[in-house]
């Protein structure tokens, strides 16, 4: 009796291995995949950053019991043929093979999925002796941000097409055959789903729907090709991980910027990773990054401050004379005398632009820093003091009501940043500016503080933390200079 029970147990075990394995996720360090039992498609897919066994876990878990992620169609109809699924494991990952059943008819004879242990990559090989369509509906697949105000620029998911030179909208490429496209799919702030084919030049992109984030690939059987190979990447937009898949995917990093700005971003990214390697804490790394950038930017800051000082000196000398002319004359006569004043003293009427230009030469660095911190998945889910998530507004206090544009949370960090800016404005002094000129300069600083408060109020807290620290360093520097000048 015991022997019969043992045999039955073994038979049940073998059966569950052959068929039940499709109901349990295939686990690799980067992803867990659940395949449909009878149709060649992915039923559930969980991808992780960096590892599915890490705590805390950054992951996207796609589970859809109604709409399958990959849909095969032939002649405009859903392929409903039944397949046998077998799964095997090797050193590099897992292989799931669908072979059409003997009593079924379809030009798609088999579909093989290979799951890599090295990255969030899925290889798909389709054996078909006729043309077929692949339909992807990516709506709700990628997690989206829900940030109010100006921080909402990180919200949403968009369809993209990628080659080695650029990233562009997939919508503009619908109904075309493009040999230059290497990857296409969708991306959100931190995550992406992309597909690549060795025969993408014989594949037509069709039925692109930006609202539903769906598109169709019409795969041709031209050139007697029976086996069509696709590579699917579903994972984080993070350099160390996407480079394992393809160097082309580096185009996803800071793709909204010009190439020369992206180079600056790359330099800032390296500096930030260096800071992170030293501190081991993302929040402290942002503070160290602010100090490091201030130090590295000192030559540019020195030039900017020198130019501003020259502008202030010129303005302090010429403004009283302009005021005197305006008191005595008006209209064309006043304008003529003011222009003569500039000309006689070899001063350009646009001399104040020099001070503005001194500020503008630093702007690319600020843009690069904010893009690096804004797109860094390394900050997602990371806390720092009262900040629960450095990739989102700090949400220090929940309000009993929602304020249009600003949301239903009060963010403390933008307020601290504004207070520091106001203290800097109040304590601002210049050896050349006095009276009304000094008040005008302070008024500009007050207005700037208010504008930055509105702009940054709903920005991700990691970016605001950087700017707050940078402003604090500038304030301390000015107080030290002021104290030394009075000594």
């Amino acid at each position: 009796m015991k022997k019969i029970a043992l045999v039955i147990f073994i038979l049940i075990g073998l059966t569950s291995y052959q068929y039940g394995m499709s109901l349990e996720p295939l686990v690799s360090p980067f992803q867990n995949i659940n395949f449909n039992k009878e149709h060649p498609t992915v039923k559930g897919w969980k991808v992780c950053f960096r590892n599915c066994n890490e705590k805390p876990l950054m992951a996207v878990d796609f589970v859809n019991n109604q709409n399958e992620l990959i849909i095969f169609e032939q002649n405009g109809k859903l392929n409903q043929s039944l397949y046998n699924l077998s799964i095997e494991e090797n050193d590099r990952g897992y292989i799931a093979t669908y072979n059409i059943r003997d009593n079924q008819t379809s030009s798609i004879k088999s579909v093989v999925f290979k799951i890599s242990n090295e990255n969030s990559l899925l290889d798909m090989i389709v054996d078909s002796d006729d043309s077929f369509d692949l339909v992807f509906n990516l709506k709700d697949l990628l997690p989206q941000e829900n940030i109010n105000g100006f921080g909402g620029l990180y919200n949403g998911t968009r369809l993209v097409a990628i080659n080695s030179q650029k990233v562009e909208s997939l919508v503009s490429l619908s109904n075309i055959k493009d040999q230059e496209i290497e990857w296409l799919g969708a991306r959100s702030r931190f995550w992406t789903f992309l597909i690549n084919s060795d025969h993408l030049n014989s594949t037509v992109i069709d039925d692109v729907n930006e609202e539903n984030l769906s598109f169709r690939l019409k795969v041709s059987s031209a050139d007697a090709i029976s086996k069509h190979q696709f590579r699917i990447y579903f994972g984080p937009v993070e350099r160390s991980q996407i480079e394992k898949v393809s160097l082309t995917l580096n185009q996803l990093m800071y793709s909204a910027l010009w190439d020369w700005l992206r180079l600056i971003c790359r330099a800032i990214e390296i500096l930030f990773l260096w800071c992170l390697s030293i501190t081991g804490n993302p929040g402290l790394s942002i503070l160290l990054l602010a100090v490091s950038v201030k130090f590295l930017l000192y030559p540019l800051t020195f030039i900017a401050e020198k130019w501003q000082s020259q502008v202030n000196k010129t303005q302090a000398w010429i403004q009283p004379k302009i005021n005197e002319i305006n008191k005595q004359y008006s209209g064309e006569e006043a304008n003529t005398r003011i222009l003569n004043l500039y000309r006689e003293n070899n001063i350009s009427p646009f001399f104040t632009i020099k001070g503005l230009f001194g500020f503008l030469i630093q702007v690319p660095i600020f843009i690069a820093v904010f893009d690096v911190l804004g797109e860094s998945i390394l900050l997602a889910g990371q806390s720092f003091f009262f900040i629960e998530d450095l990739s989102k507004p700090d949400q220090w206090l929940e309000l009993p009501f929602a304020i249009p544009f600003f949301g239903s949370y009060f963010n403390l960090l933008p307020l601290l940043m504004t207070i520091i800016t106001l203290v800097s404005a109040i304590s601002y002094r210049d050896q050349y500016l006095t009276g009304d000129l000094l008040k005008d300069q302070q008024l500009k600083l007050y207005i700037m503080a208010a504008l930055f408060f509105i702009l940054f109020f709903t920005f991700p807290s990691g970016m605001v933390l950087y700017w707050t620290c940078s402003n604090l360093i500038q304030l301390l520097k000015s107080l030290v200079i002021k104290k030394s000048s009075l000594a």
Side-chain angles (χ1 to χ4, degrees), residues 87-123:
I87 294 174
E88 61 179 286
E89 180 181 1
N90 56 36
D91 294 338
R92 301 186 63 182
Y94 294 85
I95 300 177
T97 303
Y98 289 89
N99 287 303
I100 194 164
R101 297 182 182 178
D102 294 337
N103 61 341
Q104 300 288 305
T105 58
S106 173
S107 62
I108 300 177
K109 303 303 180 185
S110 67
V111 180
V112 178
F113 293 98
K114 296 181 179 180
I115 301 95
S116 172
N117 281 338
E118 298 178 355
N119 46 52
S120 302
L121 187 66
L122 177 67
D123 285 314

mmCIF file of all heavy atoms in Angstrom, residues 87-123:
data_model
loop_
_atom_site.group_PDB
_atom_site.id
_atom_site.type_symbol
_atom_site.label_atom_id
_atom_site.label_comp_id
_atom_site.label_asym_id
_atom_site.label_seq_id
_atom_site.Cartn_x
_atom_site.Cartn_y
_atom_site.Cartn_z
ATOM 1 N N ILE A 87 9.293 23.297 -19.438
ATOM 2 C CA ILE A 87 10.221 24.255 -18.830
ATOM 3 C C ILE A 87 11.468 23.522 -18.365
ATOM 4 O O ILE A 87 11.407 22.435 -17.801
ATOM 5 C CB ILE A 87 9.557 24.970 -17.640
ATOM 6 C CG1 ILE A 87 8.394 25.842 -18.139
ATOM 7 C CG2 ILE A 87 10.556 25.828 -16.882
ATOM 8 C CD1 ILE A 87 7.592 26.476 -17.032
ATOM 9 N N GLU A 88 12.605 24.129 -18.656
ATOM 10 C CA GLU A 88 13.879 23.565 -18.189
ATOM 11 C C GLU A 88 14.757 24.689 -17.646
ATOM 12 O O GLU A 88 14.616 25.850 -18.019
ATOM 13 C CB GLU A 88 14.606 22.835 -19.321
ATOM 14 C CG GLU A 88 14.976 23.713 -20.510
ATOM 15 C CD GLU A 88 15.708 22.937 -21.581
ATOM 16 O OE1 GLU A 88 16.897 22.622 -21.369
ATOM 17 O OE2 GLU A 88 15.085 22.653 -22.629
ATOM 18 N N GLU A 89 15.650 24.321 -16.763
ATOM 19 C CA GLU A 89 16.539 25.285 -16.128
ATOM 20 C C GLU A 89 17.979 24.975 -16.517
ATOM 21 O O GLU A 89 18.381 23.813 -16.625
ATOM 22 C CB GLU A 89 16.390 25.213 -14.603
ATOM 23 C CG GLU A 89 17.285 26.189 -13.853
ATOM 24 C CD GLU A 89 17.121 26.072 -12.345
ATOM 25 O OE1 GLU A 89 16.328 25.219 -11.909
ATOM 26 O OE2 GLU A 89 17.796 26.812 -11.618
ATOM 27 N N ASN A 90 18.765 26.046 -16.742
ATOM 28 C CA ASN A 90 20.201 25.867 -16.959
ATOM 29 C C ASN A 90 20.957 26.927 -16.171
ATOM 30 O O ASN A 90 20.358 27.686 -15.401
ATOM 31 C CB ASN A 90 20.553 25.934 -18.460
ATOM 32 C CG ASN A 90 20.087 27.231 -19.104
ATOM 33 O OD1 ASN A 90 20.117 28.296 -18.481
ATOM 34 N ND2 ASN A 90 19.648 27.147 -20.347
ATOM 35 N N ASP A 91 22.261 26.991 -16.378
ATOM 36 C CA ASP A 91 23.085 27.908 -15.588
ATOM 37 C C ASP A 91 22.757 29.374 -15.864
ATOM 38 O O ASP A 91 22.976 30.233 -15.015
ATOM 39 C CB ASP A 91 24.571 27.657 -15.869
ATOM 40 C CG ASP A 91 25.011 26.295 -15.383
ATOM 41 O OD1 ASP A 91 24.330 25.748 -14.486
ATOM 42 O OD2 ASP A 91 26.019 25.767 -15.907
ATOM 43 N N ARG A 92 22.273 29.664 -17.048
ATOM 44 C CA ARG A 92 22.038 31.057 -17.438
ATOM 45 C C ARG A 92 20.619 31.515 -17.146
ATOM 46 O O ARG A 92 20.324 32.700 -17.217
ATOM 47 C CB ARG A 92 22.333 31.236 -18.924
ATOM 48 C CG ARG A 92 23.762 30.887 -19.301
ATOM 49 C CD ARG A 92 24.040 31.223 -20.737
ATOM 50 N NE ARG A 92 23.912 32.656 -20.988
ATOM 51 C CZ ARG A 92 24.074 33.217 -22.187
ATOM 52 N NH1 ARG A 92 24.337 32.458 -23.237
ATOM 53 N NH2 ARG A 92 23.941 34.513 -22.326
ATOM 54 N N GLY A 93 19.710 30.604 -16.825
ATOM 55 C CA GLY A 93 18.346 30.993 -16.532
ATOM 56 C C GLY A 93 17.375 29.874 -16.812
ATOM 57 O O GLY A 93 17.663 28.697 -16.553
ATOM 58 N N TYR A 94 16.225 30.232 -17.373
ATOM 59 C CA TYR A 94 15.161 29.271 -17.653
ATOM 60 C C TYR A 94 14.766 29.331 -19.115
ATOM 61 O O TYR A 94 14.904 30.354 -19.776
ATOM 62 C CB TYR A 94 13.932 29.562 -16.793
ATOM 63 C CG TYR A 94 14.143 29.349 -15.310
ATOM 64 C CD1 TYR A 94 14.695 30.350 -14.518
ATOM 65 C CD2 TYR A 94 13.794 28.157 -14.699
ATOM 66 C CE1 TYR A 94 14.892 30.172 -13.160
ATOM 67 C CE2 TYR A 94 13.979 27.963 -13.345
ATOM 68 C CZ TYR A 94 14.532 28.979 -12.584
ATOM 69 O OH TYR A 94 14.722 28.792 -11.241
ATOM 70 N N ILE A 95 14.262 28.219 -19.615
ATOM 71 C CA ILE A 95 13.740 28.152 -20.979
ATOM 72 C C ILE A 95 12.333 27.569 -20.919
ATOM 73 O O ILE A 95 12.127 26.474 -20.401
ATOM 74 C CB ILE A 95 14.621 27.284 -21.893
ATOM 75 C CG1 ILE A 95 16.043 27.855 -21.974
ATOM 76 C CG2 ILE A 95 14.012 27.187 -23.282
ATOM 77 C CD1 ILE A 95 16.993 27.027 -22.789
ATOM 78 N N ALA A 96 11.370 28.348 -21.421
ATOM 79 C CA ALA A 96 9.991 27.881 -21.500
ATOM 80 C C ALA A 96 9.645 27.691 -22.970
ATOM 81 O O ALA A 96 9.738 28.635 -23.759
ATOM 82 C CB ALA A 96 9.042 28.894 -20.853
ATOM 83 N N THR A 97 9.267 26.474 -23.342
ATOM 84 C CA THR A 97 9.016 26.141 -24.744
ATOM 85 C C THR A 97 7.558 25.742 -24.951
ATOM 86 O O THR A 97 7.036 24.861 -24.258
ATOM 87 C CB THR A 97 9.926 24.994 -25.204
ATOM 88 O OG1 THR A 97 11.291 25.350 -24.989
ATOM 89 C CG2 THR A 97 9.705 24.701 -26.683
ATOM 90 N N TYR A 98 6.912 26.430 -25.908
ATOM 91 C CA TYR A 98 5.556 26.081 -26.319
ATOM 92 C C TYR A 98 5.622 25.363 -27.667
ATOM 93 O O TYR A 98 6.125 25.937 -28.640
ATOM 94 C CB TYR A 98 4.682 27.324 -26.480
ATOM 95 C CG TYR A 98 4.302 28.023 -25.191
ATOM 96 C CD1 TYR A 98 5.116 29.024 -24.651
ATOM 97 C CD2 TYR A 98 3.120 27.711 -24.537
ATOM 98 C CE1 TYR A 98 4.752 29.682 -23.495
ATOM 99 C CE2 TYR A 98 2.750 28.368 -23.368
ATOM 100 C CZ TYR A 98 3.573 29.355 -22.852
ATOM 101 O OH TYR A 98 3.212 30.008 -21.707
ATOM 102 N N ASN A 99 5.120 24.147 -27.745
ATOM 103 C CA ASN A 99 5.004 23.414 -29.006
ATOM 104 C C ASN A 99 3.525 23.154 -29.280
ATOM 105 O O ASN A 99 2.778 22.733 -28.384
ATOM 106 C CB ASN A 99 5.754 22.083 -28.943
ATOM 107 C CG ASN A 99 7.259 22.299 -28.977
ATOM 108 O OD1 ASN A 99 7.787 22.904 -29.903
ATOM 109 N ND2 ASN A 99 7.953 21.813 -27.948
ATOM 110 N N ILE A 100 3.121 23.403 -30.526
ATOM 111 C CA ILE A 100 1.708 23.243 -30.858
ATOM 112 C C ILE A 100 1.294 21.785 -30.718
ATOM 113 O O ILE A 100 2.060 20.856 -31.018
ATOM 114 C CB ILE A 100 1.422 23.772 -32.286
ATOM 115 C CG1 ILE A 100 -0.085 23.920 -32.486
ATOM 116 C CG2 ILE A 100 2.063 22.886 -33.336
ATOM 117 C CD1 ILE A 100 -0.446 24.766 -33.671
ATOM 118 N N ARG A 101 0.098 21.572 -30.211
ATOM 119 C CA ARG A 101 -0.382 20.213 -30.003
ATOM 120 C C ARG A 101 -0.691 19.549 -31.343
ATOM 121 O O ARG A 101 -1.011 20.208 -32.327
ATOM 122 C CB ARG A 101 -1.630 20.237 -29.114
ATOM 123 C CG ARG A 101 -1.349 20.774 -27.710
ATOM 124 C CD ARG A 101 -2.573 20.744 -26.824
ATOM 125 N NE ARG A 101 -2.275 21.309 -25.511
ATOM 126 C CZ ARG A 101 -3.171 21.444 -24.538
ATOM 127 N NH1 ARG A 101 -4.431 21.029 -24.741
ATOM 128 N NH2 ARG A 101 -2.830 21.965 -23.375
ATOM 129 N N ASP A 102 -0.624 18.243 -31.328
ATOM 130 C CA ASP A 102 -0.779 17.472 -32.577
ATOM 131 C C ASP A 102 -2.128 17.710 -33.244
ATOM 132 O O ASP A 102 -2.235 17.684 -34.464
ATOM 133 C CB ASP A 102 -0.592 15.977 -32.288
ATOM 134 C CG ASP A 102 0.833 15.657 -31.865
ATOM 135 O OD1 ASP A 102 1.733 16.449 -32.205
ATOM 136 O OD2 ASP A 102 1.034 14.625 -31.190
ATOM 137 N N ASN A 103 -3.146 17.927 -32.490
ATOM 138 C CA ASN A 103 -4.483 18.072 -33.069
ATOM 139 C C ASN A 103 -4.845 19.525 -33.383
ATOM 140 O O ASN A 103 -5.992 19.833 -33.684
ATOM 141 C CB ASN A 103 -5.538 17.481 -32.124
ATOM 142 C CG ASN A 103 -5.556 18.205 -30.773
ATOM 143 O OD1 ASN A 103 -4.598 18.883 -30.414
ATOM 144 N ND2 ASN A 103 -6.656 18.027 -30.055
ATOM 145 N N GLN A 104 -3.853 20.438 -33.294
ATOM 146 C CA GLN A 104 -4.103 21.855 -33.550
ATOM 147 C C GLN A 104 -3.419 22.287 -34.847
ATOM 148 O O GLN A 104 -2.391 21.713 -35.255
ATOM 149 C CB GLN A 104 -3.577 22.709 -32.395
ATOM 150 C CG GLN A 104 -4.215 22.379 -31.045
ATOM 151 C CD GLN A 104 -5.645 22.844 -30.973
ATOM 152 O OE1 GLN A 104 -5.962 23.997 -31.182
ATOM 153 N NE2 GLN A 104 -6.551 21.895 -30.665
ATOM 154 N N THR A 105 -3.973 23.334 -35.486
ATOM 155 C CA THR A 105 -3.377 23.860 -36.717
ATOM 156 C C THR A 105 -3.082 25.343 -36.550
ATOM 157 O O THR A 105 -3.939 26.131 -36.138
ATOM 158 C CB THR A 105 -4.341 23.684 -37.903
ATOM 159 O OG1 THR A 105 -5.574 24.345 -37.625
ATOM 160 C CG2 THR A 105 -4.591 22.206 -38.178
ATOM 161 N N SER A 106 -1.855 25.699 -36.854
ATOM 162 C CA SER A 106 -1.441 27.106 -36.808
ATOM 163 C C SER A 106 -0.096 27.215 -37.506
ATOM 164 O O SER A 106 0.721 26.279 -37.464
ATOM 165 C CB SER A 106 -1.324 27.605 -35.361
ATOM 166 O OG SER A 106 -0.767 28.905 -35.337
ATOM 167 N N SER A 107 0.140 28.337 -38.167
ATOM 168 C CA SER A 107 1.452 28.553 -38.799
ATOM 169 C C SER A 107 2.533 28.805 -37.754
ATOM 170 O O SER A 107 3.721 28.687 -38.033
ATOM 171 C CB SER A 107 1.373 29.724 -39.777
ATOM 172 O OG SER A 107 1.046 30.920 -39.094
ATOM 173 N N ILE A 108 2.130 29.198 -36.538
ATOM 174 C CA ILE A 108 3.089 29.378 -35.439
ATOM 175 C C ILE A 108 3.289 28.019 -34.781
ATOM 176 O O ILE A 108 2.435 27.539 -34.022
ATOM 177 C CB ILE A 108 2.577 30.417 -34.426
ATOM 178 C CG1 ILE A 108 2.383 31.777 -35.111
ATOM 179 C CG2 ILE A 108 3.542 30.552 -33.253
ATOM 180 C CD1 ILE A 108 1.810 32.844 -34.207
ATOM 181 N N LYS A 109 4.396 27.383 -35.103
ATOM 182 C CA LYS A 109 4.637 26.014 -34.643
ATOM 183 C C LYS A 109 5.145 25.957 -33.205
ATOM 184 O O LYS A 109 4.796 25.050 -32.454
ATOM 185 C CB LYS A 109 5.653 25.328 -35.571
ATOM 186 C CG LYS A 109 5.223 25.319 -37.034
ATOM 187 C CD LYS A 109 3.870 24.653 -37.233
ATOM 188 C CE LYS A 109 3.448 24.650 -38.686
ATOM 189 N NZ LYS A 109 2.072 24.108 -38.861
ATOM 190 N N SER A 110 5.976 26.930 -32.870
ATOM 191 C CA SER A 110 6.521 26.919 -31.515
ATOM 192 C C SER A 110 6.944 28.328 -31.115
ATOM 193 O O SER A 110 7.225 29.180 -31.969
ATOM 194 C CB SER A 110 7.727 25.975 -31.403
ATOM 195 O OG SER A 110 8.818 26.474 -32.152
ATOM 196 N N VAL A 111 6.962 28.557 -29.810
ATOM 197 C CA VAL A 111 7.441 29.821 -29.236
ATOM 198 C C VAL A 111 8.319 29.460 -28.042
ATOM 199 O O VAL A 111 7.896 28.699 -27.161
ATOM 200 C CB VAL A 111 6.285 30.732 -28.790
ATOM 201 C CG1 VAL A 111 6.840 32.031 -28.196
ATOM 202 C CG2 VAL A 111 5.343 31.038 -29.951
ATOM 203 N N VAL A 112 9.526 29.998 -28.040
ATOM 204 C CA VAL A 112 10.483 29.705 -26.973
ATOM 205 C C VAL A 112 10.803 31.001 -26.219
ATOM 206 O O VAL A 112 11.141 32.016 -26.834
ATOM 207 C CB VAL A 112 11.775 29.083 -27.530
ATOM 208 C CG1 VAL A 112 12.769 28.827 -26.387
ATOM 209 C CG2 VAL A 112 11.466 27.802 -28.286
ATOM 210 N N PHE A 113 10.684 30.961 -24.903
ATOM 211 C CA PHE A 113 11.048 32.088 -24.049
ATOM 212 C C PHE A 113 12.292 31.701 -23.252
ATOM 213 O O PHE A 113 12.301 30.665 -22.581
ATOM 214 C CB PHE A 113 9.923 32.451 -23.090
ATOM 215 C CG PHE A 113 8.692 32.995 -23.754
ATOM 216 C CD1 PHE A 113 7.608 32.161 -24.004
ATOM 217 C CD2 PHE A 113 8.608 34.327 -24.123
ATOM 218 C CE1 PHE A 113 6.461 32.657 -24.606
ATOM 219 C CE2 PHE A 113 7.467 34.828 -24.731
ATOM 220 C CZ PHE A 113 6.398 34.003 -24.973
ATOM 221 N N LYS A 114 13.304 32.548 -23.300
ATOM 222 C CA LYS A 114 14.515 32.323 -22.520
ATOM 223 C C LYS A 114 14.660 33.451 -21.496
ATOM 224 O O LYS A 114 14.696 34.619 -21.863
ATOM 225 C CB LYS A 114 15.748 32.276 -23.424
ATOM 226 C CG LYS A 114 15.740 31.121 -24.413
ATOM 227 C CD LYS A 114 17.010 31.114 -25.254
ATOM 228 C CE LYS A 114 17.020 29.941 -26.242
ATOM 229 N NZ LYS A 114 18.246 29.930 -27.073
ATOM 230 N N ILE A 115 14.726 33.070 -20.237
ATOM 231 C CA ILE A 115 14.798 34.045 -19.152
ATOM 232 C C ILE A 115 16.228 34.110 -18.643
ATOM 233 O O ILE A 115 16.803 33.100 -18.256
ATOM 234 C CB ILE A 115 13.848 33.671 -17.992
ATOM 235 C CG1 ILE A 115 12.404 33.596 -18.499
ATOM 236 C CG2 ILE A 115 13.949 34.670 -16.871
ATOM 237 C CD1 ILE A 115 11.973 32.208 -18.887
ATOM 238 N N SER A 116 16.804 35.315 -18.658
ATOM 239 C CA SER A 116 18.194 35.485 -18.256
ATOM 240 C C SER A 116 18.318 35.704 -16.758
ATOM 241 O O SER A 116 17.484 36.358 -16.137
ATOM 242 C CB SER A 116 18.808 36.679 -18.991
ATOM 243 O OG SER A 116 20.090 36.975 -18.496
ATOM 244 N N ASN A 117 19.375 35.143 -16.173
ATOM 245 C CA ASN A 117 19.700 35.386 -14.771
ATOM 246 C C ASN A 117 20.549 36.638 -14.591
ATOM 247 O O ASN A 117 20.848 37.032 -13.471
ATOM 248 C CB ASN A 117 20.465 34.190 -14.176
ATOM 249 C CG ASN A 117 19.535 33.051 -13.822
ATOM 250 O OD1 ASN A 117 18.339 33.248 -13.621
ATOM 251 N ND2 ASN A 117 20.081 31.851 -13.753
ATOM 252 N N GLU A 118 20.963 37.253 -15.701
ATOM 253 C CA GLU A 118 21.905 38.362 -15.643
ATOM 254 C C GLU A 118 21.216 39.720 -15.673
ATOM 255 O O GLU A 118 21.798 40.725 -15.264
ATOM 256 C CB GLU A 118 22.894 38.275 -16.809
ATOM 257 C CG GLU A 118 23.740 37.008 -16.784
ATOM 258 C CD GLU A 118 24.665 36.923 -17.976
ATOM 259 O OE1 GLU A 118 24.571 37.804 -18.856
ATOM 260 O OE2 GLU A 118 25.486 35.993 -18.020
ATOM 261 N N ASN A 119 19.995 39.797 -16.178
ATOM 262 C CA ASN A 119 19.289 41.066 -16.266
ATOM 263 C C ASN A 119 17.805 40.796 -16.480
ATOM 264 O O ASN A 119 17.379 39.653 -16.572
ATOM 265 C CB ASN A 119 19.841 41.925 -17.424
ATOM 266 C CG ASN A 119 20.008 41.118 -18.701
ATOM 267 O OD1 ASN A 119 19.082 40.450 -19.140
ATOM 268 N ND2 ASN A 119 21.202 41.164 -19.279
ATOM 269 N N SER A 120 17.024 41.856 -16.570
ATOM 270 C CA SER A 120 15.576 41.705 -16.780
ATOM 271 C C SER A 120 15.282 41.550 -18.259
ATOM 272 O O SER A 120 14.588 42.367 -18.867
ATOM 273 C CB SER A 120 14.845 42.929 -16.208
ATOM 274 O OG SER A 120 15.125 43.086 -14.849
ATOM 275 N N LEU A 121 15.826 40.507 -18.848
ATOM 276 C CA LEU A 121 15.725 40.303 -20.287
ATOM 277 C C LEU A 121 15.018 38.994 -20.582
ATOM 278 O O LEU A 121 15.271 37.967 -19.955
ATOM 279 C CB LEU A 121 17.113 40.290 -20.929
ATOM 280 C CG LEU A 121 17.155 40.242 -22.462
ATOM 281 C CD1 LEU A 121 16.576 41.510 -23.060
ATOM 282 C CD2 LEU A 121 18.589 40.056 -22.938
ATOM 283 N N LEU A 122 14.124 39.059 -21.564
ATOM 284 C CA LEU A 122 13.406 37.871 -22.015
ATOM 285 C C LEU A 122 13.619 37.727 -23.518
ATOM 286 O O LEU A 122 13.250 38.614 -24.290
ATOM 287 C CB LEU A 122 11.913 38.017 -21.711
ATOM 288 C CG LEU A 122 10.993 36.885 -22.181
ATOM 289 C CD1 LEU A 122 11.288 35.612 -21.401
ATOM 290 C CD2 LEU A 122 9.532 37.281 -22.012
ATOM 291 N N ASP A 123 14.248 36.636 -23.925
ATOM 292 C CA ASP A 123 14.394 36.326 -25.341
ATOM 293 C C ASP A 123 13.186 35.521 -25.796
ATOM 294 O O ASP A 123 12.785 34.562 -25.121
ATOM 295 C CB ASP A 123 15.674 35.526 -25.595
ATOM 296 C CG ASP A 123 16.918 36.406 -25.518
ATOM 297 O OD1 ASP A 123 16.906 37.491 -26.110
ATOM 298 O OD2 ASP A 123 17.885 35.997 -24.849
#
